[in-house]
């Protein structure tokens, strides 16, 4: 079933089929019929006003209008079909293509270098698991001796003690490890 | 190019890459495309640019044209879409507000069946003033309502042609036309009133 908007629009535009128009007009009171007749006249005046006042100016520079369209089409076809381009244009486009590819390769190499370096450099604060629990035994190094340090590592689990002496070429007989 | 060659033949040649054939289509339809867009956007430069864009989009869309509609209505659909998209972007950018609610509030079909106004006194108003009022009223319509009323009243397309151009049903065309007319009548109410 047609909406009232459809019925009124086709009636106003006088495009309503004859039998449908007769049925539609039969539903209207005389006041409603007069109202719609006035509405139809107003729409007709509005139509004249639209056609008169909205008339477009002439298209300026019509030949240039065509030229710009065809030029744009040719340019876009050239970009999308590089194999068909003349040699000069092809070498220029392949240069930029190579440059772009080179940039990607460079970026990839830098990224790989960063990953490798990061994985190989020991991080401060992180300690690889050690077999020995560090138990530093306070070294008793004579005060008059320079450049000697002693650090001891002991592992209860392994029942092992490692004494690390640094700066000594030999252990004097007068000194013993207690 | 021979003016006896119809649009379908030119389209077929254009689809084969014939630039000259497509340029002939441009020549044949540029005036109408420009006029239609101008009526929507009301600026010559914008209309010029949008008409360019419509033809370029038509060239790119030629592979999709199957010939089940005339080139005329197919191209006008592209033109309408290009224009409406542009108007919508302007609306999003805050440059324009469209309010079709005025039409909805004012155009209750069940309450507007009694005559309330008199004839338009165009003889009492300068033509330029009327033109300015009409243009301002058209500018308040949404792109869809503006398009349908211009296609019907100015371009004189039939309902089915408008439906094809706008990609909607004939019922939708009539509904939009009904409310667009009502809104224009509301906005131009004082133009109809006697002094």
């Amino acid at each position: 079933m047609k909406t009232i908007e459809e019925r009124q629009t086709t009636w106003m535009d006088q495009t309503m089929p004859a039998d449908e128009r007769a049925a539609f007009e039969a539903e209207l009171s005389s006041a409603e019929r007069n109202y719609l007749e006035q509405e139809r006249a107003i729409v007709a005046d509005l139509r004249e006003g639209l056609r008169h006042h909205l008339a477009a100016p002439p298209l300026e520079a019509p030949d240039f209008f065509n030229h710009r369209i065809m030029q744009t089409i040719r340019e876009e076809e050239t970009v999308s079909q590089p194999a068909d381009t003349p040699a000069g244009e092809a070498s220029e486009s392949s240069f930029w293509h190579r440059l772009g590819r080179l940039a990607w390769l460079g970026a990839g190499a830098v990224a790989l270098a960063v990953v490798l370096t990061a994985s190989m450099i020991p991080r401060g604060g992180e300690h690889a698991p050690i077999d020995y629990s560090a138990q530093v035994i306070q070294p008793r190094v004579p005060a008059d001796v320079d450049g000697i340090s002693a650090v001891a590592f002991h592992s209860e689990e392994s029942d092992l003690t490692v004494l690390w002496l640094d700066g000594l070429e030999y252990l004097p007989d007068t000194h013993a490890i207690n | 190019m021979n003016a006896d060659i119809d649009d379908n033949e030119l389209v077929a040649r254009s689809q084969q890459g014939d630039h000259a054939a497509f340029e002939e289509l441009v020549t044949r339809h540029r005036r109408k495309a420009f006029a239609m867009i101008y009526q929507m956007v009301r600026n010559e430069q914008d209309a010029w640019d949008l008409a360019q864009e419509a033809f370029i989009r038509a060239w790119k869309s030629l592979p999709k044209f199957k010939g089940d509609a005339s080139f005329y209505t197919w191209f006008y659909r592209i033109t309408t879409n290009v224009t409406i998209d542009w108007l919508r972007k302007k609306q999003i950018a805050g440059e324009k507000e469209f309010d079709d609610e005025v039409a909805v509030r004012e155009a209750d079909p069940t309450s507007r069946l009694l005559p309330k106004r008199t004839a338009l006194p165009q003889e009492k108003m300068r033509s330029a003033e009327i033109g300015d009022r009409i243009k301002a009223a058209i500018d308040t319509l949404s792109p869809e309502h503006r398009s349908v009323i211009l296609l019907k009243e100015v371009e004189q397309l039939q309902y089915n042609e408008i439906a094809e151009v706008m990609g909607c049903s004939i019922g939708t065309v009539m509904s939009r036309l009904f409310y667009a007319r009502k809104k224009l009548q509301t906005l131009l109410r004082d133009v109809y009133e006697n002094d």
Side-chain angles (χ1 to χ4, degrees), chain A residues 105-120:
Chain A
L105 282 173
V110 168
L112 184 63
V114 167
V115 168
L116 289 175
T117 302
S119 66
M120 290 171 66

PDB file of all heavy atoms in Angstrom, chain A residues 105-120:
ATOM      1  N   LEU A 105      66.177  -2.640   3.305  1.00  0.00           N
ATOM      2  CA  LEU A 105      67.275  -3.552   3.656  1.00  0.00           C
ATOM      3  C   LEU A 105      68.120  -2.969   4.787  1.00  0.00           C
ATOM      4  O   LEU A 105      68.520  -3.680   5.707  1.00  0.00           O
ATOM      5  CB  LEU A 105      68.148  -3.797   2.423  1.00  0.00           C
ATOM      6  CG  LEU A 105      67.578  -4.786   1.399  1.00  0.00           C
ATOM      7  CD1 LEU A 105      68.444  -4.820   0.142  1.00  0.00           C
ATOM      8  CD2 LEU A 105      67.494  -6.187   2.008  1.00  0.00           C
ATOM      9  N   GLY A 106      68.408  -1.675   4.686  1.00  0.00           N
ATOM     10  CA  GLY A 106      69.181  -1.008   5.729  1.00  0.00           C
ATOM     11  C   GLY A 106      68.488  -1.077   7.070  1.00  0.00           C
ATOM     12  O   GLY A 106      69.102  -1.363   8.105  1.00  0.00           O
ATOM     13  N   ALA A 107      67.202  -0.801   7.060  1.00  0.00           N
ATOM     14  CA  ALA A 107      66.442  -0.842   8.306  1.00  0.00           C
ATOM     15  C   ALA A 107      66.448  -2.245   8.889  1.00  0.00           C
ATOM     16  O   ALA A 107      66.580  -2.434  10.105  1.00  0.00           O
ATOM     17  CB  ALA A 107      65.009  -0.368   8.051  1.00  0.00           C
ATOM     18  N   GLY A 108      66.350  -3.234   8.026  1.00  0.00           N
ATOM     19  CA  GLY A 108      66.367  -4.618   8.503  1.00  0.00           C
ATOM     20  C   GLY A 108      67.709  -4.985   9.104  1.00  0.00           C
ATOM     21  O   GLY A 108      67.792  -5.668  10.136  1.00  0.00           O
ATOM     22  N   ALA A 109      68.810  -4.523   8.475  1.00  0.00           N
ATOM     23  CA  ALA A 109      70.150  -4.813   8.989  1.00  0.00           C
ATOM     24  C   ALA A 109      70.350  -4.169  10.354  1.00  0.00           C
ATOM     25  O   ALA A 109      70.913  -4.779  11.268  1.00  0.00           O
ATOM     26  CB  ALA A 109      71.201  -4.316   7.998  1.00  0.00           C
ATOM     27  N   VAL A 110      69.903  -2.945  10.493  1.00  0.00           N
ATOM     28  CA  VAL A 110      70.034  -2.244  11.785  1.00  0.00           C
ATOM     29  C   VAL A 110      69.250  -2.997  12.851  1.00  0.00           C
ATOM     30  O   VAL A 110      69.715  -3.187  13.975  1.00  0.00           O
ATOM     31  CB  VAL A 110      69.544  -0.790  11.649  1.00  0.00           C
ATOM     32  CG1 VAL A 110      69.393  -0.149  13.014  1.00  0.00           C
ATOM     33  CG2 VAL A 110      70.503   0.019  10.782  1.00  0.00           C
ATOM     34  N   ALA A 111      68.063  -3.423  12.505  1.00  0.00           N
ATOM     35  CA  ALA A 111      67.224  -4.132  13.477  1.00  0.00           C
ATOM     36  C   ALA A 111      67.894  -5.432  13.908  1.00  0.00           C
ATOM     37  O   ALA A 111      67.897  -5.778  15.096  1.00  0.00           O
ATOM     38  CB  ALA A 111      65.845  -4.411  12.873  1.00  0.00           C
ATOM     39  N   LEU A 112      68.491  -6.149  12.957  1.00  0.00           N
ATOM     40  CA  LEU A 112      69.170  -7.403  13.277  1.00  0.00           C
ATOM     41  C   LEU A 112      70.366  -7.160  14.188  1.00  0.00           C
ATOM     42  O   LEU A 112      70.599  -7.897  15.148  1.00  0.00           O
ATOM     43  CB  LEU A 112      69.616  -8.079  11.972  1.00  0.00           C
ATOM     44  CG  LEU A 112      70.265  -9.466  12.123  1.00  0.00           C
ATOM     45  CD1 LEU A 112      69.247 -10.438  12.727  1.00  0.00           C
ATOM     46  CD2 LEU A 112      70.755  -9.977  10.789  1.00  0.00           C
ATOM     47  N   ALA A 113      71.102  -6.085  13.886  1.00  0.00           N
ATOM     48  CA  ALA A 113      72.266  -5.752  14.713  1.00  0.00           C
ATOM     49  C   ALA A 113      71.843  -5.434  16.136  1.00  0.00           C
ATOM     50  O   ALA A 113      72.487  -5.852  17.107  1.00  0.00           O
ATOM     51  CB  ALA A 113      73.016  -4.576  14.094  1.00  0.00           C
ATOM     52  N   VAL A 114      70.768  -4.732  16.282  1.00  0.00           N
ATOM     53  CA  VAL A 114      70.287  -4.385  17.623  1.00  0.00           C
ATOM     54  C   VAL A 114      69.897  -5.638  18.391  1.00  0.00           C
ATOM     55  O   VAL A 114      70.219  -5.796  19.568  1.00  0.00           O
ATOM     56  CB  VAL A 114      69.103  -3.401  17.516  1.00  0.00           C
ATOM     57  CG1 VAL A 114      68.385  -3.268  18.848  1.00  0.00           C
ATOM     58  CG2 VAL A 114      69.574  -2.037  17.019  1.00  0.00           C
ATOM     59  N   VAL A 115      69.232  -6.533  17.717  1.00  0.00           N
ATOM     60  CA  VAL A 115      68.781  -7.768  18.386  1.00  0.00           C
ATOM     61  C   VAL A 115      69.981  -8.596  18.827  1.00  0.00           C
ATOM     62  O   VAL A 115      70.030  -9.094  19.958  1.00  0.00           O
ATOM     63  CB  VAL A 115      67.872  -8.573  17.443  1.00  0.00           C
ATOM     64  CG1 VAL A 115      67.627  -9.972  17.992  1.00  0.00           C
ATOM     65  CG2 VAL A 115      66.545  -7.846  17.229  1.00  0.00           C
ATOM     66  N   LEU A 116      70.961  -8.754  17.933  1.00  0.00           N
ATOM     67  CA  LEU A 116      72.132  -9.564  18.268  1.00  0.00           C
ATOM     68  C   LEU A 116      72.919  -8.931  19.407  1.00  0.00           C
ATOM     69  O   LEU A 116      73.363  -9.619  20.335  1.00  0.00           O
ATOM     70  CB  LEU A 116      73.024  -9.725  17.035  1.00  0.00           C
ATOM     71  CG  LEU A 116      72.463 -10.638  15.938  1.00  0.00           C
ATOM     72  CD1 LEU A 116      73.369 -10.623  14.718  1.00  0.00           C
ATOM     73  CD2 LEU A 116      72.319 -12.068  16.469  1.00  0.00           C
ATOM     74  N   THR A 117      73.099  -7.628  19.327  1.00  0.00           N
ATOM     75  CA  THR A 117      73.866  -6.938  20.369  1.00  0.00           C
ATOM     76  C   THR A 117      73.159  -7.057  21.710  1.00  0.00           C
ATOM     77  O   THR A 117      73.779  -7.335  22.742  1.00  0.00           O
ATOM     78  CB  THR A 117      74.026  -5.446  20.002  1.00  0.00           C
ATOM     79  OG1 THR A 117      74.673  -5.357  18.734  1.00  0.00           O
ATOM     80  CG2 THR A 117      74.848  -4.708  21.049  1.00  0.00           C
ATOM     81  N   ALA A 118      71.889  -6.886  21.692  1.00  0.00           N
ATOM     82  CA  ALA A 118      71.135  -6.950  22.944  1.00  0.00           C
ATOM     83  C   ALA A 118      71.184  -8.330  23.546  1.00  0.00           C
ATOM     84  O   ALA A 118      71.200  -8.488  24.775  1.00  0.00           O
ATOM     85  CB  ALA A 118      69.685  -6.532  22.685  1.00  0.00           C
ATOM     86  N   SER A 119      71.257  -9.337  22.724  1.00  0.00           N
ATOM     87  CA  SER A 119      71.245 -10.701  23.254  1.00  0.00           C
ATOM     88  C   SER A 119      72.613 -11.109  23.751  1.00  0.00           C
ATOM     89  O   SER A 119      72.732 -12.009  24.587  1.00  0.00           O
ATOM     90  CB  SER A 119      70.772 -11.672  22.175  1.00  0.00           C
ATOM     91  OG  SER A 119      71.709 -11.718  21.110  1.00  0.00           O
ATOM     92  N   MET A 120      73.684 -10.448  23.270  1.00  0.00           N
ATOM     93  CA  MET A 120      75.025 -10.861  23.635  1.00  0.00           C
ATOM     94  C   MET A 120      75.593 -10.055  24.793  1.00  0.00           C
ATOM     95  O   MET A 120      76.434 -10.546  25.536  1.00  0.00           O
ATOM     96  CB  MET A 120      75.969 -10.746  22.423  1.00  0.00           C
ATOM     97  CG  MET A 120      75.666 -11.789  21.351  1.00  0.00           C
ATOM     98  SD  MET A 120      76.578 -11.507  19.845  1.00  0.00           S
ATOM     99  CE  MET A 120      78.230 -11.802  20.403  1.00  0.00           C
TER     100      MET A 120
END
